[in-house]
Amino acid sequence: MKNREDWKEVVKKRQNKMEAWRLSFLSVEELLCLQLLGYSSKQLYENVESERYSLKETASMSIRELDKAKRILDRQTKAGVITIPYNDEAYPHHFRNLCRDAPLLIHVLGNKDLLNREDNVAIIGARAADKEGLNMAYEFAEQMGKQGHIVISGLALGCDTAAHQGCLDAGGQTIAVVASGLDITHPKVNKSLQDEIIAKGGTILSEHPFGVKANPTRLVARCRMQVVLTQSVIVAQCPIISGTMYAVRFAQEYNGVPFGWENNVYSVQYDTQNELNSGNKFLLDYNLALPIRLGQEITLDLDNKIVIA
């Protein structure tokens, strides 16, 4: 009962925060202007209740940045990109569970409706994966695609590319969460894959506007957006020191009663151990993930959790 009451209190606080956002009357242009001025999402999220009028005044007085924000948004609109603010009804409910870590603006190319789907799985792994690791990502994504479920990954080389392609080849839809503005494909060689994702009803998603390039900090930050969209994460293959391990950490952090759901992490179990799958072994040895093997059939149950046949 205590956990249920705690959850009710958390929900009430979020509702109050949402109401504060609606009353702030900060437009998309003003929010982007403030971000261009250096305000972080955390700062704006925390201060909107107490400083909403001063924030609005700051944006209106920052003529150069406000004009730049309008130009960026105009370019994005012409390119088919939809920008959704935190206080919009179309904003993915999954991201609101991030609270102060939620992106204030998201930029979407393609099918925005996928972002509120519950039947999805994140399949992630290392860029420098070997053939076995790529097969793992491809096969599990292919199974999800055939069943009509959504596969989430990060458009990176290696396991991410294999996961997106496996889902697409099965006739499924996939979401790519990226760490740059949507006018930039990172890496460039995946431009054709990005186009295929869009053409087949998928989604490219970023918290960054046009003109922003990917860097290590942004690549790590996008991991939280990947895992919060799903309740099931499959680690196909990764070294013990890798970006994938950040995603696992986020999946553990955004978990339990305060966030309204439970994340399950699955790690592929390999018969032969090497550096490329040392992260998988670590996760299994320390009970940080559940084992899954190549050749196993997977599906989602009524709670959208993975079931291994």
Side-chain angles (χ1 to χ4, degrees), residues 248 252 265 267 279-291:
V248 173
Q252 295 167 337
V265 178
S267 178
N280 297 71
K281 184 176 187 300
F282 175 85
L283 293 173
L284 294 172
D285 286 349
Y286 287 88
N287 296 317
L288 298 174
L290 301 169

Side-chain angles (χ1 to χ4, degrees), residues 7 10 14 93-94 96-101 228 250-263:
W7 172 236
V10 169
R14 288 181 188 167
H93 64 275
H94 303 279
R96 289 205 176 99
N97 290 325
L98 288 170
C99 300
R100 63 197 296 269
D101 293 331
V228 81
F250 283 126
Q252 295 167 337
E253 180 179 351
Y254 302 120
N255 185 35
V257 172
F259 300 98
W261 76 91
E262 179 182 356
N263 285 321

Side-chain angles (χ1 to χ4, degrees), residues 150-170:
I150 309 303
V151 170
I152 301 165
S153 202
L155 202 70
L157 297 176
C159 289
D160 287 13
T161 294
H164 290 304
Q165 199 64 62
C167 180
L168 292 171
D169 289 349

Side-chain angles (χ1 to χ4, degrees), residues 7 10 14-15 17-19 21-22 45 84-104 106 116 228-229 254 258-259 261:
W7 172 236
V10 169
R14 288 181 188 167
Q15 289 173 340
K17 180 68 73 173
M18 280 300 300
E19 185 61 24
W21 270 101
R22 291 191 178 97
Y45 180 87
I84 306 174
Y86 183 90
N87 59 331
D88 194 291
E89 290 183 359
Y91 188 89
H93 64 275
H94 303 279
F95 290 158
R96 289 205 176 99
N97 290 325
L98 288 170
C99 300
R100 63 197 296 269
D101 293 331
L104 290 183
I106 59 168
N116 281 307
V228 81
L229 285 170
Y254 302 120
F259 300 98
W261 76 91

Side-chain angles (χ1 to χ4, degrees), residues 196-270:
E196 184 179 2
I197 290 173
I198 298 300
K200 293 185 175 179
T203 309
I204 312 296
L205 168 69
S206 178
E207 64 180 313
H208 304 292
F210 271 17
V212 175
K213 297 180 179 180
N215 63 26
T217 300
R218 293 173 186 138
L219 287 165
V220 169
R222 67 91 186 266
C223 290
R224 81 194 195 286
M225 296 171 65
Q226 289 177 317
V227 300
V228 81
L229 285 170
T230 181
Q231 296 188 79
S232 298
V233 178
I234 296 177
V235 178
Q237 185 184 69
C238 74
I240 195 168
I241 299 176
S242 65
T244 302
M245 298 299 273
Y246 283 104
V248 173
R249 190 197 72 187
F250 283 126
Q252 295 167 337
E253 180 179 351
Y254 302 120
N255 185 35
V257 172
F259 300 98
W261 76 91
E262 179 182 356
N263 285 321
N264 286 341
V265 178
Y266 294 82
S267 178
V268 171
Q269 191 168 36
Y270 288 85

Side-chain angles (χ1 to χ4, degrees), residues 60-75:
S60 66
M61 295 293 289
S62 304
I63 298 174
R64 184 176 63 179
E65 288 78 10
L66 186 59
D67 184 59
K68 181 178 179 180
K70 291 177 180 178
R71 291 199 307 271
I72 289 172
L73 292 169
D74 183 59
R75 287 177 56 212

